[in-house]
Amino acid sequence: MEINLSSLMSLIDESEKRYSSLFISLRKHVLNTSIQELNGTTNIVEDNKKDFDEELAEVNKLANEISKFKSILYEKNNSFKLSDGRTIQSAIVENSNLRKLKDNLQSLLNYHNFKQRVTEVNNSYFQIQEINYDPEKVKSQILQLDQRIHNTDFEISKLNSIEFDINL
Protein backbone atom coordinates (compact mmCIF):
# COMPACT_ATOMS: atom_id res chain seq x y z
CA MET A 1 0.00 0.00 0.00
CA GLU A 2 1.34 3.46 -0.93
CA ILE A 3 1.14 5.95 1.93
CA ASN A 4 2.88 9.09 3.17
CA LEU A 5 3.76 10.12 6.74
CA SER A 6 0.79 12.51 7.01
CA SER A 7 -1.64 9.75 6.05
CA LEU A 8 0.14 7.31 8.35
CA MET A 9 -0.22 9.74 11.28
CA SER A 10 -3.94 10.09 10.48
CA LEU A 11 -4.26 6.32 10.35
CA ILE A 12 -2.58 6.04 13.75
CA ASP A 13 -4.88 8.71 15.18
CA GLU A 14 -8.01 6.95 13.85
CA SER A 15 -6.81 3.58 15.17
CA GLU A 16 -6.09 5.05 18.61
CA LYS A 17 -9.57 6.63 18.74
CA ARG A 18 -11.16 3.29 17.78
CA TYR A 19 -8.98 1.56 20.39
CA SER A 20 -10.09 3.96 23.15
CA SER A 21 -13.76 3.73 22.28
CA LEU A 22 -13.58 -0.06 21.98
CA PHE A 23 -11.93 -0.28 25.40
CA ILE A 24 -14.81 1.74 26.91
CA SER A 25 -17.26 -0.71 25.35
CA LEU A 26 -15.14 -3.66 26.54
CA ARG A 27 -15.38 -2.44 30.14
CA LYS A 28 -19.19 -2.48 29.85
CA HIS A 29 -19.07 -6.17 28.97
CA VAL A 30 -16.79 -7.37 31.77
CA LEU A 31 -19.61 -8.75 33.91
CA ASN A 32 -22.44 -11.19 33.29
CA THR A 33 -25.64 -10.75 35.28
CA SER A 34 -27.79 -13.58 36.57
CA ILE A 35 -30.51 -14.09 39.15
CA GLN A 36 -30.40 -17.00 41.56
CA GLU A 37 -33.70 -18.04 43.08
CA LEU A 38 -33.83 -19.21 46.68
CA ASN A 39 -34.44 -22.75 45.44
CA GLY A 40 -31.07 -22.63 43.64
CA THR A 41 -32.18 -22.16 40.03
CA THR A 42 -30.17 -19.59 38.12
CA ASN A 43 -31.44 -17.45 35.28
CA ILE A 44 -28.97 -15.54 33.15
CA VAL A 45 -30.23 -11.99 32.64
CA GLU A 46 -27.29 -10.58 30.73
CA ASP A 47 -24.61 -12.69 29.05
CA ASN A 48 -21.75 -10.49 27.83
CA LYS A 49 -19.19 -13.26 27.25
CA LYS A 50 -19.46 -13.29 23.45
CA ASP A 51 -19.35 -9.47 23.16
CA PHE A 52 -16.43 -9.32 25.58
CA ASP A 53 -14.43 -11.97 23.68
CA GLU A 54 -15.09 -10.29 20.30
CA GLU A 55 -14.15 -6.84 21.60
CA LEU A 56 -11.05 -8.14 23.39
CA ALA A 57 -9.88 -9.78 20.18
CA GLU A 58 -10.46 -6.49 18.30
CA VAL A 59 -8.62 -4.52 21.04
CA ASN A 60 -5.63 -6.86 20.72
CA LYS A 61 -5.72 -6.59 16.92
CA LEU A 62 -5.84 -2.78 17.10
CA ALA A 63 -3.02 -2.67 19.68
CA ASN A 64 -0.81 -4.66 17.31
CA GLU A 65 -1.85 -2.49 14.36
CA ILE A 66 -1.05 0.73 16.26
CA SER A 67 2.34 -0.65 17.31
CA LYS A 68 3.12 -1.62 13.72
CA PHE A 69 2.07 1.79 12.36
CA LYS A 70 4.03 3.67 15.03
CA SER A 71 7.11 1.56 14.37
CA ILE A 72 6.93 2.46 10.69
CA LEU A 73 6.40 6.13 11.57
CA TYR A 74 9.40 6.20 13.94
CA GLU A 75 11.54 4.35 11.42
CA LYS A 76 10.65 6.82 8.66
CA ASN A 77 11.09 9.81 11.01
CA ASN A 78 14.59 8.55 11.70
CA SER A 79 15.43 7.87 8.06
CA PHE A 80 13.99 10.84 6.13
CA LYS A 81 16.43 13.74 6.26
CA LEU A 82 15.97 17.49 6.00
CA SER A 83 18.19 19.55 3.72
CA ASP A 84 20.59 20.24 6.60
CA GLY A 85 21.07 16.52 7.30
CA ARG A 86 18.90 16.23 10.41
CA THR A 87 16.34 13.45 10.56
CA ILE A 88 12.67 14.36 10.97
CA GLN A 89 12.78 12.98 14.51
CA SER A 90 15.76 15.10 15.56
CA ALA A 91 14.15 18.17 13.94
CA ILE A 92 10.91 17.52 15.86
CA VAL A 93 12.85 17.31 19.14
CA GLU A 94 14.81 20.47 18.32
CA ASN A 95 11.64 22.37 17.36
CA SER A 96 10.03 21.30 20.61
CA ASN A 97 12.98 22.70 22.56
CA LEU A 98 13.01 25.89 20.47
CA ARG A 99 9.31 26.41 21.20
CA LYS A 100 9.98 26.08 24.94
CA LEU A 101 12.84 28.59 24.67
CA LYS A 102 10.62 30.96 22.70
CA ASP A 103 7.86 30.72 25.33
CA ASN A 104 10.35 31.39 28.13
CA LEU A 105 11.80 34.39 26.29
CA GLN A 106 8.27 35.64 25.62
CA SER A 107 7.57 35.56 29.36
CA LEU A 108 10.57 37.85 29.95
CA LEU A 109 8.79 40.53 27.95
CA ASN A 110 6.12 40.69 30.66
CA TYR A 111 8.57 42.41 33.02
CA HIS A 112 8.65 46.21 33.03
CA ASN A 113 10.53 48.96 34.80
CA PHE A 114 8.76 50.46 37.74
CA LYS A 115 9.24 53.08 40.37
CA GLN A 116 7.53 52.95 43.74
CA ARG A 117 7.51 55.53 46.50
CA VAL A 118 8.32 54.09 49.91
CA THR A 119 7.49 56.11 52.98
CA GLU A 120 8.86 55.15 56.37
CA VAL A 121 8.61 56.96 59.68
CA ASN A 122 11.71 59.17 59.21
CA ASN A 123 12.47 58.54 55.62
CA SER A 124 10.93 58.62 52.20
CA TYR A 125 12.46 57.35 48.99
CA PHE A 126 11.76 55.74 45.64
CA GLN A 127 12.45 52.10 45.02
CA ILE A 128 13.30 51.64 41.34
CA GLN A 129 13.43 48.33 39.54
CA GLU A 130 14.70 48.23 35.99
CA ILE A 131 14.95 45.31 33.63
CA ASN A 132 18.56 44.42 32.95
CA TYR A 133 18.23 43.35 29.33
CA ASP A 134 17.28 44.94 26.05
CA PRO A 135 13.69 43.93 25.22
CA GLU A 136 14.31 44.61 21.53
CA LYS A 137 17.10 42.00 21.49
CA VAL A 138 14.77 39.50 23.12
CA LYS A 139 12.03 40.31 20.59
CA SER A 140 14.56 39.88 17.79
CA GLN A 141 15.65 36.51 19.17
CA ILE A 142 12.00 35.42 19.39
CA LEU A 143 11.46 36.38 15.75
CA GLN A 144 14.57 34.42 14.72
CA LEU A 145 13.35 31.38 16.67
CA ASP A 146 9.94 31.72 15.03
CA GLN A 147 11.55 31.73 11.60
CA ARG A 148 13.71 28.69 12.39
CA ILE A 149 10.72 26.78 13.72
CA HIS A 150 8.61 27.75 10.71
CA ASN A 151 11.32 26.74 8.22
CA THR A 152 11.84 23.39 9.92
CA ASP A 153 8.10 22.74 10.11
CA PHE A 154 7.81 23.52 6.41
CA GLU A 155 10.59 21.09 5.51
CA ILE A 156 9.06 18.42 7.73
CA SER A 157 5.69 18.88 6.04
CA LYS A 158 7.33 18.45 2.63
CA LEU A 159 8.97 15.22 3.80
CA ASN A 160 5.65 14.06 5.29
CA SER A 161 4.19 13.99 1.77
CA ILE A 162 6.79 11.53 0.41
CA GLU A 163 5.04 8.28 -0.41
CA PHE A 164 6.37 4.84 0.51
CA ASP A 165 5.08 1.26 0.60
CA ILE A 166 3.84 -0.49 3.72
CA ASN A 167 2.38 -3.96 4.15
CA LEU A 168 -0.87 -4.09 6.04
Side-chain angles (χ1 to χ4, degrees):
M1 171 181 172
E2 281 278 310
I3 195 166
N4 61 36
L5 288 177
S6 295
S7 299
L8 182 59
M9 287 185 278
S10 294
L11 205 56
I12 291 169
D13 188 50
E14 289 171 19
S15 296
E16 287 178 333
K17 285 177 184 172
R18 279 196 338 256
Y19 178 86
S20 294
S21 110
L22 197 55
F23 223 94
I24 290 169
S25 178
L26 181 70
R27 287 186 184 121
K28 292 178 184 175
H29 296 119
V30 167
L31 301 172
N32 292 328
T33 305
S34 60
I35 296 173
Q36 186 176 23
E37 304 283 337
L38 294 178
N39 66 6
T41 59
T42 303
N43 295 316
I44 297 174
V45 176
E46 193 175 8
D47 185 1
N48 292 314
K49 178 73 173 143
K50 182 180 176 192
D51 292 337
F52 178 83
D53 289 343
E54 288 172 0
E55 289 172 350
L56 182 61
E58 183 65 19
V59 161
N60 287 325
K61 179 183 164 199
L62 277 171
N64 290 333
E65 182 179 284
I66 291 167
S67 292
K68 181 180 178 182
F69 290 158
K70 283 189 173 185
S71 293
I72 293 168
L73 177 66
Y74 297 147
E75 176 192 328
K76 295 300 180 184
N77 276 348
N78 282 313
S79 64
F80 288 171
K81 296 197 182 288
L82 280 68
S83 62
D84 61 5
R86 292 178 296 163
T87 63
I88 290 176
Q89 192 61 45
S90 67
I92 289 170
V93 169
E94 184 178 332
N95 262 12
S96 175
N97 291 332
L98 291 176
R99 282 186 176 93
K100 288 176 190 172
L101 174 60
K102 183 185 130 196
D103 289 345
N104 287 329
L105 290 173
Q106 193 78 41
S107 70
L108 291 179
L109 296 176
N110 292 329
Y111 290 93
H112 302 284
N113 297 335
F114 80 90
K115 184 177 182 179
Q116 177 181 6
R117 183 181 175 117
V118 177
T119 305
E120 296 175 349
V121 176
N122 294 334
N123 196 7
S124 193
Y125 57 92
F126 288 101
Q127 179 178 345
I128 300 169
Q129 290 190 329
E130 297 175 325
I131 55 176
N132 58 9
Y133 62 89
D134 181 0
E136 291 308 313
K137 283 185 179 178
V138 173
K139 287 177 187 176
S140 173
Q141 187 177 0
I142 289 170
L143 289 174
Q144 289 171 356
L145 289 172
D146 258 344
Q147 190 59 47
R148 279 179 59 192
I149 292 167
H150 174 74
N151 291 344
T152 300
D153 282 344
F154 181 71
E155 268 198 80
I156 289 171
S157 71
K158 286 193 316 190
L159 290 173
N160 282 345
S161 65
I162 295 174
E163 292 196 348
F164 54 91
D165 285 321
I166 64 169
N167 295 323
L168 298 178

